Amino acid sequence: MELIDTMTAECVGKPPYRFRRMIPQDHIRQAVDKLAEQLRADYADKNPIFMGVLNGCFIFMADLIRAVNIPCEVDFIKLSSYRDAMTSGDVNLVKDIDANLVGRHVILVEDIVDTGKSLGFLRRHLMSKKPASLVMVSMFVKERDKLDDAVAEYVGTIIPDEFVVGYGLDYAQQWRQLPDLYVLDKDQ
Ligand code: IMP
Ligand code: MG
């Protein structure tokens, strides 16, 4: 376990916090570049809308669109989550999209897929806006015996089923700034 001594967030335990690095930033970078290559090949002439799912997407989204580097638009959608901790809750819309999706090619950008509940909800919601096409990109997908029908079309990396932080992902709104992906040891 790596020790990170940070004077914040009493809600996530007493510092120093213990982390185990799961994926280093250079591996994340390689996965982003690979996704970008595929998306560039598939969308170079389609002027797609990259639709980020706030808040977790913001770092991945920024890296991804610069790596893809094709004509595109950017918009965001926000879901409420009652999952401060490790529990998955009901999904509700907090901020809907601003762009008109009719006839557009939409690329949904998500940080991580766990149960697939959020992507399932978003797929139904966005399809009701009549896009020409809709695909989902997730940087991380947790390995599970069975996901529902909402698995992403483009996946950065499949990871073990553990609760992770960093690269935009939080625990109780903390740790999004960490450049690598970590398992946070909360039993301390
Ligand atoms: P799902 O609906 O169960 O697939 O959960 C997806 C959402 O839950 C993601 O967009 C994340 O915001 C959050 N989430 C799921 N697993 C983790 C995790 O390990 N760390 C941080 N956030 C997570
Ligand atoms: Mg998310």
mmCIF file with all atom_site columns, all heavy atoms in Angstrom, residues 51-69:
data_model
loop_
_atom_site.group_PDB
_atom_site.id
_atom_site.type_symbol
_atom_site.label_atom_id
_atom_site.label_alt_id
_atom_site.label_comp_id
_atom_site.label_asym_id
_atom_site.label_entity_id
_atom_site.label_seq_id
_atom_site.pdbx_PDB_ins_code
_atom_site.Cartn_x
_atom_site.Cartn_y
_atom_site.Cartn_z
_atom_site.occupancy
_atom_site.B_iso_or_equiv
_atom_site.pdbx_formal_charge
_atom_site.auth_seq_id
_atom_site.auth_comp_id
_atom_site.auth_asym_id
_atom_site.auth_atom_id
_atom_site.pdbx_PDB_model_num
ATOM 1   N N   . MET A 1 51 ? -20.449 13.380 -25.639 1.00 0.00 ? 51 MET A N   1
ATOM 2   C CA  . MET A 1 51 ? -21.356 13.713 -24.541 1.00 0.00 ? 51 MET A CA  1
ATOM 3   C C   . MET A 1 51 ? -20.794 13.135 -23.244 1.00 0.00 ? 51 MET A C   1
ATOM 4   O O   . MET A 1 51 ? -20.854 11.936 -23.017 1.00 0.00 ? 51 MET A O   1
ATOM 5   C CB  . MET A 1 51 ? -22.716 13.067 -24.863 1.00 0.00 ? 51 MET A CB  1
ATOM 6   C CG  . MET A 1 51 ? -23.808 13.318 -23.858 1.00 0.00 ? 51 MET A CG  1
ATOM 7   S SD  . MET A 1 51 ? -24.386 15.005 -23.927 1.00 0.00 ? 51 MET A SD  1
ATOM 8   C CE  . MET A 1 51 ? -24.969 15.081 -25.624 1.00 0.00 ? 51 MET A CE  1
ATOM 9   N N   . GLY A 1 52 ? -20.207 14.007 -22.428 1.00 0.00 ? 52 GLY A N   1
ATOM 10  C CA  . GLY A 1 52 ? -19.573 13.544 -21.191 1.00 0.00 ? 52 GLY A CA  1
ATOM 11  C C   . GLY A 1 52 ? -20.584 13.383 -20.066 1.00 0.00 ? 52 GLY A C   1
ATOM 12  O O   . GLY A 1 52 ? -21.506 14.188 -19.941 1.00 0.00 ? 52 GLY A O   1
ATOM 13  N N   . VAL A 1 53 ? -20.390 12.361 -19.250 1.00 0.00 ? 53 VAL A N   1
ATOM 14  C CA  . VAL A 1 53 ? -21.248 12.152 -18.078 1.00 0.00 ? 53 VAL A CA  1
ATOM 15  C C   . VAL A 1 53 ? -20.522 12.723 -16.858 1.00 0.00 ? 53 VAL A C   1
ATOM 16  O O   . VAL A 1 53 ? -19.511 12.177 -16.413 1.00 0.00 ? 53 VAL A O   1
ATOM 17  C CB  . VAL A 1 53 ? -21.553 10.659 -17.862 1.00 0.00 ? 53 VAL A CB  1
ATOM 18  C CG1 . VAL A 1 53 ? -22.557 10.480 -16.727 1.00 0.00 ? 53 VAL A CG1 1
ATOM 19  C CG2 . VAL A 1 53 ? -22.061 10.011 -19.144 1.00 0.00 ? 53 VAL A CG2 1
ATOM 20  N N   . LEU A 1 54 ? -21.033 13.845 -16.357 1.00 0.00 ? 54 LEU A N   1
ATOM 21  C CA  . LEU A 1 54 ? -20.402 14.515 -15.209 1.00 0.00 ? 54 LEU A CA  1
ATOM 22  C C   . LEU A 1 54 ? -20.657 13.757 -13.916 1.00 0.00 ? 54 LEU A C   1
ATOM 23  O O   . LEU A 1 54 ? -21.677 13.107 -13.796 1.00 0.00 ? 54 LEU A O   1
ATOM 24  C CB  . LEU A 1 54 ? -20.965 15.944 -15.082 1.00 0.00 ? 54 LEU A CB  1
ATOM 25  C CG  . LEU A 1 54 ? -20.598 16.874 -16.248 1.00 0.00 ? 54 LEU A CG  1
ATOM 26  C CD1 . LEU A 1 54 ? -21.379 18.183 -16.143 1.00 0.00 ? 54 LEU A CD1 1
ATOM 27  C CD2 . LEU A 1 54 ? -19.106 17.149 -16.274 1.00 0.00 ? 54 LEU A CD2 1
ATOM 28  N N   . ASN A 1 55 ? -19.756 13.854 -12.896 1.00 0.00 ? 55 ASN A N   1
ATOM 29  C CA  . ASN A 1 55 ? -18.527 14.624 -12.934 1.00 0.00 ? 55 ASN A CA  1
ATOM 30  C C   . ASN A 1 55 ? -17.322 13.786 -13.360 1.00 0.00 ? 55 ASN A C   1
ATOM 31  O O   . ASN A 1 55 ? -16.292 14.348 -13.763 1.00 0.00 ? 55 ASN A O   1
ATOM 32  C CB  . ASN A 1 55 ? -18.204 15.190 -11.535 1.00 0.00 ? 55 ASN A CB  1
ATOM 33  C CG  . ASN A 1 55 ? -19.190 16.234 -11.079 1.00 0.00 ? 55 ASN A CG  1
ATOM 34  O OD1 . ASN A 1 55 ? -19.867 16.877 -11.859 1.00 0.00 ? 55 ASN A OD1 1
ATOM 35  N ND2 . ASN A 1 55 ? -19.295 16.401 -9.769  1.00 0.00 ? 55 ASN A ND2 1
ATOM 36  N N   . GLY A 1 56 ? -17.473 12.482 -13.251 1.00 0.00 ? 56 GLY A N   1
ATOM 37  C CA  . GLY A 1 56 ? -16.318 11.597 -13.365 1.00 0.00 ? 56 GLY A CA  1
ATOM 38  C C   . GLY A 1 56 ? -15.593 11.634 -14.705 1.00 0.00 ? 56 GLY A C   1
ATOM 39  O O   . GLY A 1 56 ? -14.430 11.298 -14.796 1.00 0.00 ? 56 GLY A O   1
ATOM 40  N N   . CYS A 1 57 ? -16.302 12.081 -15.760 1.00 0.00 ? 57 CYS A N   1
ATOM 41  C CA  . CYS A 1 57 ? -15.736 12.003 -17.108 1.00 0.00 ? 57 CYS A CA  1
ATOM 42  C C   . CYS A 1 57 ? -14.686 13.066 -17.416 1.00 0.00 ? 57 CYS A C   1
ATOM 43  O O   . CYS A 1 57 ? -13.989 12.981 -18.415 1.00 0.00 ? 57 CYS A O   1
ATOM 44  C CB  . CYS A 1 57 ? -16.846 12.145 -18.155 1.00 0.00 ? 57 CYS A CB  1
ATOM 45  S SG  . CYS A 1 57 ? -17.410 13.857 -18.327 1.00 0.00 ? 57 CYS A SG  1
ATOM 46  N N   . PHE A 1 58 ? -14.597 14.118 -16.577 1.00 0.00 ? 58 PHE A N   1
ATOM 47  C CA  . PHE A 1 58 ? -13.965 15.354 -17.077 1.00 0.00 ? 58 PHE A CA  1
ATOM 48  C C   . PHE A 1 58 ? -12.501 15.199 -17.474 1.00 0.00 ? 58 PHE A C   1
ATOM 49  O O   . PHE A 1 58 ? -12.058 15.809 -18.450 1.00 0.00 ? 58 PHE A O   1
ATOM 50  C CB  . PHE A 1 58 ? -14.170 16.521 -16.099 1.00 0.00 ? 58 PHE A CB  1
ATOM 51  C CG  . PHE A 1 58 ? -13.322 16.499 -14.857 1.00 0.00 ? 58 PHE A CG  1
ATOM 52  C CD1 . PHE A 1 58 ? -12.340 17.447 -14.654 1.00 0.00 ? 58 PHE A CD1 1
ATOM 53  C CD2 . PHE A 1 58 ? -13.521 15.534 -13.877 1.00 0.00 ? 58 PHE A CD2 1
ATOM 54  C CE1 . PHE A 1 58 ? -11.565 17.445 -13.501 1.00 0.00 ? 58 PHE A CE1 1
ATOM 55  C CE2 . PHE A 1 58 ? -12.745 15.519 -12.719 1.00 0.00 ? 58 PHE A CE2 1
ATOM 56  C CZ  . PHE A 1 58 ? -11.772 16.479 -12.536 1.00 0.00 ? 58 PHE A CZ  1
ATOM 57  N N   . ILE A 1 59 ? -11.762 14.375 -16.780 1.00 0.00 ? 59 ILE A N   1
ATOM 58  C CA  . ILE A 1 59 ? -10.340 14.212 -17.130 1.00 0.00 ? 59 ILE A CA  1
ATOM 59  C C   . ILE A 1 59 ? -10.202 13.306 -18.360 1.00 0.00 ? 59 ILE A C   1
ATOM 60  O O   . ILE A 1 59 ? -9.489  13.630 -19.311 1.00 0.00 ? 59 ILE A O   1
ATOM 61  C CB  . ILE A 1 59 ? -9.553  13.673 -15.922 1.00 0.00 ? 59 ILE A CB  1
ATOM 62  C CG1 . ILE A 1 59 ? -9.481  14.784 -14.860 1.00 0.00 ? 59 ILE A CG1 1
ATOM 63  C CG2 . ILE A 1 59 ? -8.154  13.208 -16.334 1.00 0.00 ? 59 ILE A CG2 1
ATOM 64  C CD1 . ILE A 1 59 ? -8.778  14.399 -13.588 1.00 0.00 ? 59 ILE A CD1 1
ATOM 65  N N   . PHE A 1 60 ? -10.907 12.196 -18.348 1.00 0.00 ? 60 PHE A N   1
ATOM 66  C CA  . PHE A 1 60 ? -10.896 11.268 -19.490 1.00 0.00 ? 60 PHE A CA  1
ATOM 67  C C   . PHE A 1 60 ? -11.365 11.969 -20.758 1.00 0.00 ? 60 PHE A C   1
ATOM 68  O O   . PHE A 1 60 ? -10.760 11.855 -21.829 1.00 0.00 ? 60 PHE A O   1
ATOM 69  C CB  . PHE A 1 60 ? -11.764 10.056 -19.153 1.00 0.00 ? 60 PHE A CB  1
ATOM 70  C CG  . PHE A 1 60 ? -11.969 9.096  -20.276 1.00 0.00 ? 60 PHE A CG  1
ATOM 71  C CD1 . PHE A 1 60 ? -10.904 8.681  -21.086 1.00 0.00 ? 60 PHE A CD1 1
ATOM 72  C CD2 . PHE A 1 60 ? -13.234 8.574  -20.540 1.00 0.00 ? 60 PHE A CD2 1
ATOM 73  C CE1 . PHE A 1 60 ? -11.094 7.782  -22.129 1.00 0.00 ? 60 PHE A CE1 1
ATOM 74  C CE2 . PHE A 1 60 ? -13.437 7.672  -21.572 1.00 0.00 ? 60 PHE A CE2 1
ATOM 75  C CZ  . PHE A 1 60 ? -12.363 7.284  -22.367 1.00 0.00 ? 60 PHE A CZ  1
ATOM 76  N N   . MET A 1 61 ? -12.454 12.720 -20.638 1.00 0.00 ? 61 MET A N   1
ATOM 77  C CA  . MET A 1 61 ? -13.023 13.437 -21.791 1.00 0.00 ? 61 MET A CA  1
ATOM 78  C C   . MET A 1 61 ? -12.000 14.411 -22.386 1.00 0.00 ? 61 MET A C   1
ATOM 79  O O   . MET A 1 61 ? -11.830 14.485 -23.607 1.00 0.00 ? 61 MET A O   1
ATOM 80  C CB  . MET A 1 61 ? -14.261 14.206 -21.311 1.00 0.00 ? 61 MET A CB  1
ATOM 81  C CG  . MET A 1 61 ? -14.921 15.033 -22.369 1.00 0.00 ? 61 MET A CG  1
ATOM 82  S SD  . MET A 1 61 ? -16.284 14.115 -23.075 1.00 0.00 ? 61 MET A SD  1
ATOM 83  C CE  . MET A 1 61 ? -17.257 15.465 -23.672 1.00 0.00 ? 61 MET A CE  1
ATOM 84  N N   . ALA A 1 62 ? -11.318 15.151 -21.510 1.00 0.00 ? 62 ALA A N   1
ATOM 85  C CA  . ALA A 1 62 ? -10.329 16.138 -21.972 1.00 0.00 ? 62 ALA A CA  1
ATOM 86  C C   . ALA A 1 62 ? -9.176  15.437 -22.689 1.00 0.00 ? 62 ALA A C   1
ATOM 87  O O   . ALA A 1 62 ? -8.722  15.898 -23.745 1.00 0.00 ? 62 ALA A O   1
ATOM 88  C CB  . ALA A 1 62 ? -9.809  16.945 -20.785 1.00 0.00 ? 62 ALA A CB  1
ATOM 89  N N   . ASP A 1 63 ? -8.724  14.325 -22.144 1.00 0.00 ? 63 ASP A N   1
ATOM 90  C CA  . ASP A 1 63 ? -7.642  13.576 -22.793 1.00 0.00 ? 63 ASP A CA  1
ATOM 91  C C   . ASP A 1 63 ? -8.122  12.971 -24.106 1.00 0.00 ? 63 ASP A C   1
ATOM 92  O O   . ASP A 1 63 ? -7.422  12.993 -25.115 1.00 0.00 ? 63 ASP A O   1
ATOM 93  C CB  . ASP A 1 63 ? -7.144  12.444 -21.878 1.00 0.00 ? 63 ASP A CB  1
ATOM 94  C CG  . ASP A 1 63 ? -6.246  12.965 -20.759 1.00 0.00 ? 63 ASP A CG  1
ATOM 95  O OD1 . ASP A 1 63 ? -5.826  14.133 -20.824 1.00 0.00 ? 63 ASP A OD1 1
ATOM 96  O OD2 . ASP A 1 63 ? -5.963  12.178 -19.834 1.00 0.00 ? 63 ASP A OD2 1
ATOM 97  N N   . LEU A 1 64 ? -9.337  12.408 -24.067 1.00 0.00 ? 64 LEU A N   1
ATOM 98  C CA  . LEU A 1 64 ? -9.839  11.670 -25.233 1.00 0.00 ? 64 LEU A CA  1
ATOM 99  C C   . LEU A 1 64 ? -10.049 12.573 -26.443 1.00 0.00 ? 64 LEU A C   1
ATOM 100 O O   . LEU A 1 64 ? -9.578  12.251 -27.546 1.00 0.00 ? 64 LEU A O   1
ATOM 101 C CB  . LEU A 1 64 ? -11.149 10.949 -24.874 1.00 0.00 ? 64 LEU A CB  1
ATOM 102 C CG  . LEU A 1 64 ? -11.717 10.042 -25.964 1.00 0.00 ? 64 LEU A CG  1
ATOM 103 C CD1 . LEU A 1 64 ? -10.819 8.825  -26.171 1.00 0.00 ? 64 LEU A CD1 1
ATOM 104 C CD2 . LEU A 1 64 ? -13.140 9.597  -25.630 1.00 0.00 ? 64 LEU A CD2 1
ATOM 105 N N   . ILE A 1 65 ? -10.733 13.706 -26.267 1.00 0.00 ? 65 ILE A N   1
ATOM 106 C CA  . ILE A 1 65 ? -11.044 14.511 -27.464 1.00 0.00 ? 65 ILE A CA  1
ATOM 107 C C   . ILE A 1 65 ? -9.785  15.111 -28.076 1.00 0.00 ? 65 ILE A C   1
ATOM 108 O O   . ILE A 1 65 ? -9.701  15.281 -29.282 1.00 0.00 ? 65 ILE A O   1
ATOM 109 C CB  . ILE A 1 65 ? -12.107 15.605 -27.226 1.00 0.00 ? 65 ILE A CB  1
ATOM 110 C CG1 . ILE A 1 65 ? -11.643 16.638 -26.213 1.00 0.00 ? 65 ILE A CG1 1
ATOM 111 C CG2 . ILE A 1 65 ? -13.446 15.009 -26.847 1.00 0.00 ? 65 ILE A CG2 1
ATOM 112 C CD1 . ILE A 1 65 ? -12.451 17.922 -26.307 1.00 0.00 ? 65 ILE A CD1 1
ATOM 113 N N   . ARG A 1 66 ? -8.778  15.387 -27.225 1.00 0.00 ? 66 ARG A N   1
ATOM 114 C CA  . ARG A 1 66 ? -7.524  15.904 -27.786 1.00 0.00 ? 66 ARG A CA  1
ATOM 115 C C   . ARG A 1 66 ? -6.758  14.807 -28.506 1.00 0.00 ? 66 ARG A C   1
ATOM 116 O O   . ARG A 1 66 ? -6.069  15.061 -29.493 1.00 0.00 ? 66 ARG A O   1
ATOM 117 C CB  . ARG A 1 66 ? -6.673  16.544 -26.689 1.00 0.00 ? 66 ARG A CB  1
ATOM 118 C CG  . ARG A 1 66 ? -7.238  17.894 -26.264 1.00 0.00 ? 66 ARG A CG  1
ATOM 119 C CD  . ARG A 1 66 ? -6.442  18.511 -25.143 1.00 0.00 ? 66 ARG A CD  1
ATOM 120 N NE  . ARG A 1 66 ? -6.526  17.693 -23.931 1.00 0.00 ? 66 ARG A NE  1
ATOM 121 C CZ  . ARG A 1 66 ? -5.827  17.931 -22.824 1.00 0.00 ? 66 ARG A CZ  1
ATOM 122 N NH1 . ARG A 1 66 ? -4.992  18.946 -22.784 1.00 0.00 ? 66 ARG A NH1 1
ATOM 123 N NH2 . ARG A 1 66 ? -5.979  17.161 -21.771 1.00 0.00 ? 66 ARG A NH2 1
ATOM 124 N N   . ALA A 1 67 ? -6.870  13.567 -28.020 1.00 0.00 ? 67 ALA A N   1
ATOM 125 C CA  . ALA A 1 67 ? -6.185  12.460 -28.691 1.00 0.00 ? 67 ALA A CA  1
ATOM 126 C C   . ALA A 1 67 ? -6.903  12.095 -29.997 1.00 0.00 ? 67 ALA A C   1
ATOM 127 O O   . ALA A 1 67 ? -6.256  11.786 -30.996 1.00 0.00 ? 67 ALA A O   1
ATOM 128 C CB  . ALA A 1 67 ? -6.121  11.249 -27.765 1.00 0.00 ? 67 ALA A CB  1
ATOM 129 N N   . VAL A 1 68 ? -8.224  12.147 -30.007 1.00 0.00 ? 68 VAL A N   1
ATOM 130 C CA  . VAL A 1 68 ? -8.975  11.834 -31.234 1.00 0.00 ? 68 VAL A CA  1
ATOM 131 C C   . VAL A 1 68 ? -8.716  12.922 -32.275 1.00 0.00 ? 68 VAL A C   1
ATOM 132 O O   . VAL A 1 68 ? -8.448  12.640 -33.440 1.00 0.00 ? 68 VAL A O   1
ATOM 133 C CB  . VAL A 1 68 ? -10.492 11.705 -30.955 1.00 0.00 ? 68 VAL A CB  1
ATOM 134 C CG1 . VAL A 1 68 ? -11.251 11.448 -32.257 1.00 0.00 ? 68 VAL A CG1 1
ATOM 135 C CG2 . VAL A 1 68 ? -10.762 10.593 -29.964 1.00 0.00 ? 68 VAL A CG2 1
ATOM 136 N N   . ASN A 1 69 ? -8.826  14.167 -31.853 1.00 0.00 ? 69 ASN A N   1
ATOM 137 C CA  . ASN A 1 69 ? -8.468  15.326 -32.675 1.00 0.00 ? 69 ASN A CA  1
ATOM 138 C C   . ASN A 1 69 ? -9.113  15.329 -34.067 1.00 0.00 ? 69 ASN A C   1
ATOM 139 O O   . ASN A 1 69 ? -8.433  15.369 -35.086 1.00 0.00 ? 69 ASN A O   1
ATOM 140 C CB  . ASN A 1 69 ? -6.935  15.430 -32.786 1.00 0.00 ? 69 ASN A CB  1
ATOM 141 C CG  . ASN A 1 69 ? -6.500  16.798 -33.290 1.00 0.00 ? 69 ASN A CG  1
ATOM 142 O OD1 . ASN A 1 69 ? -7.293  17.744 -33.271 1.00 0.00 ? 69 ASN A OD1 1
ATOM 143 N ND2 . ASN A 1 69 ? -5.272  16.895 -33.753 1.00 0.00 ? 69 ASN A ND2 1
#
